[in-house]
Amino acid sequence: MLHVRSIWNGAISFGLVSIPIKLVNATESHSISFRQIHTEDGGRIRYRKVCELEDREVSSAEIGKGYEDADGTIVPITDEDLSQLPIPTAKTIEIVAFVPADRIDPLQMDAAYYLQAGGAPAAKPYTLLREALKRSNKVAIAKYALRGRERLGMLRVVGEAIAMHGLLWPDEVRAPEGVAPDTDVTVRDQELDLADALMDTLGEVDLDDLHDEYREAVEGVVAAKAAGETLPEAPAPASSGKVLDLMAALENSVRAAKESRGEAPAAEKAEVRELPPRKTARAAPKQTGGKASTSTAKKTTAAKKTAATKSTAKTAKSAKSAQGGAKKSTAKSTAKKTTAKKATPAKKTAARKRTA
């Protein structure tokens, strides 16, 4: 049983079934609070409640509440006045409907409470409502009055208890107009694939493992100053420059997430589809330092020289072949002319003999 001071006593109205309950806070704040001090001497700064008419400080027992009218007139309102309001929710959490949990917009969620059974008579109806909620897979929508106003609530089962979340009224939730970017943006499939890969790599988390690191850091600063020690050094601020290459940022994020989870070595590239190379103007090759770069340059130069030598030899060989062919052709032509000259006198002599 929770040993927490109740902030409201009443009953749950479940049709004609009434369940006596106590309302206790389901959450607690662990944030560090600071006092206001006078910076010159460290003295506490306090606020005193002073009556404007008598110009004197008054105690809490003398303070009540009042409603200020439009003309500035104060109308006193007592707790007894509020307890006699002519509505059923003044002392009752009235269940009005049961709906699927996904019908509740998380934006409406407000403070959380536990509904504690008010004694032995409440055990049976309390358990009945709890088991009915479990079996239906629904939540109960209820109305109740707290701190001077009627509120909306959602009842659901948490472990073996019934919890109630205060809900804002629907008209108290602002529409998200003017919040989203008003510029037309096209998201490519490759970018969505990388975003999916990053989400899969980050995976899930056990919420119990998360803690308030800011509060721990503040506690460290307070402890260091109290002990007169040097304050812890702040980490280097993260880069706040604009992301020029969204794809590169996503790829690096996937790779870093895998490395942090021990799923990939530092040199491994994220398993994502690569984009086609961008069309850019041809530029001169960059000069890089280091032995590896020098060796590569030497190999490239030697390869170029070898190719040039082979090309020169091939050209020379072709030239020689061409010259040889020309010489042979000339010799054949000369021989034909010589044979023709020799044959002409012989033909003339034979013709003369036949004439005689």
Side-chain angles (χ1 to χ4, degrees):
M1 180 180 293
L2 286 175
H3 297 285
V4 181
R5 184 175 65 87
S6 63
I7 61 174
W8 185 90
N9 294 336
I12 301 174
S13 174
F14 179 30
L16 297 178
V17 178
S18 181
I19 311 171
I21 58 98
K22 296 179 180 180
L23 194 68
V24 298
N25 286 316
T27 62
E28 57 186 3
S29 175
H30 293 163
S31 62
I32 297 176
S33 60
F34 296 99
R35 303 294 187 186
Q36 290 187 330
I37 62 171
H38 188 196
T39 55
E40 292 186 4
D41 54 19
R44 283 282 305 276
I45 302 297
R46 299 179 183 274
Y47 293 94
R48 291 181 168 84
K49 298 178 180 181
V50 177
C51 175
E52 293 182 349
L53 297 179
E54 298 183 12
D55 193 21
R56 69 176 181 86
E57 186 177 354
V58 296
S59 64
S60 298
E62 299 176 85
I63 299 175
K65 59 174 69 73
Y67 176 80
E68 184 175 3
D69 209 345
D71 59 358
T73 304
I74 301 295
V75 180
I77 301 294
T78 66
D79 291 338
E80 185 178 358
D81 295 333
L82 296 176
S83 66
Q84 300 299 323
L85 289 175
I87 56 173
T89 55
K91 295 295 290 184
T92 304
I93 298 175
E94 183 184 14
I95 296 177
V96 297
F98 292 87
V99 299
D102 58 8
R103 285 271 303 278
I104 305 302
D105 188 341
L107 286 174
Q108 289 184 253
M109 295 288 190
D110 201 1
Y113 309 95
Y114 285 130
L115 303 182
Q116 183 178 9
K124 182 65 178 286
Y126 185 99
T127 304
L128 172 64
L129 176 59
R130 182 191 66 199
E131 296 304 313
L133 287 171
K134 281 184 181 179
R135 192 166 71 171
S136 68
N137 290 321
K138 293 182 177 181
V139 297
I141 302 301
K143 295 170 68 176
Y144 65 103
L146 182 66
R147 298 191 178 99
R149 55 171 294 199
E150 188 174 59
R151 303 167 185 262
L152 196 62
M154 179 191 75
L155 277 62
R156 69 184 184 96
V157 177
V158 177
E160 296 301 314
I162 299 175
M164 182 173 72
H165 296 269
L167 298 179
L168 299 175
W169 296 99
D171 60 357
E172 292 180 316
V173 179
R174 295 177 177 175
E177 296 178 358
V179 177
D182 57 0
T183 304
D184 291 335
V185 177
T186 300
V187 178
R188 296 178 294 176
D189 289 340
Q190 294 92 333
E191 294 167 338
L192 285 174
D193 291 341
L194 280 170
D196 289 341
L198 178 57
M199 292 168 63
D200 292 339
T201 303
L202 292 175
E204 298 182 357
V205 65
D206 186 352
L207 295 181
D208 291 334
D209 294 336
L210 302 179
H211 58 280
D212 188 351
E213 296 182 11
Y214 182 86
R215 176 173 59 86
E216 293 176 356
V218 172
E219 290 175 346
V221 169
V222 172
K225 294 203 73 171
E229 300 174 352
T230 304
L231 298 182
E233 294 185 2
S239 175
S240 59
K242 296 182 179 179
V243 179
L244 300 180
D245 192 336
L246 181 59
M247 293 295 293
L250 287 170
E251 287 179 350
N252 292 336
S253 299
V254 173
R255 186 157 47 249
K258 285 189 174 182
E259 291 173 8
S260 66
R261 298 169 72 92
E263 296 180 7
E268 184 179 348
K269 191 174 182 180
E271 297 177 2
V272 295
R273 292 188 299 173
E274 296 183 357
L275 291 174
R278 298 177 179 175
K279 294 181 180 180
T280 56
R282 184 175 298 177
K286 295 181 180 180
Q287 295 181 354
T288 55
K291 295 182 179 180
S293 299
T294 305
S295 176
T296 303
K298 289 181 178 179
K299 289 180 180 179
T300 304
T301 305
K304 289 182 178 179
K305 288 183 178 180
T306 303
T309 304
K310 289 182 179 180
S311 177
T312 303
K314 189 174 182 179
T315 303
K317 186 175 181 179
S318 299
K320 287 181 179 181
S321 298
Q323 290 177 0
K327 288 180 179 181
K328 289 181 180 180
S329 177
T330 303
K332 287 182 180 181
S333 178
T334 304
K336 287 181 179 180
K337 289 181 180 180
T338 304
T339 304
K341 287 180 180 181
K342 289 181 179 182
T344 301
K347 288 181 179 180
K348 289 181 178 181
T349 302
R352 287 175 182 174
K353 287 181 178 183
R354 283 196 296 272
T355 303

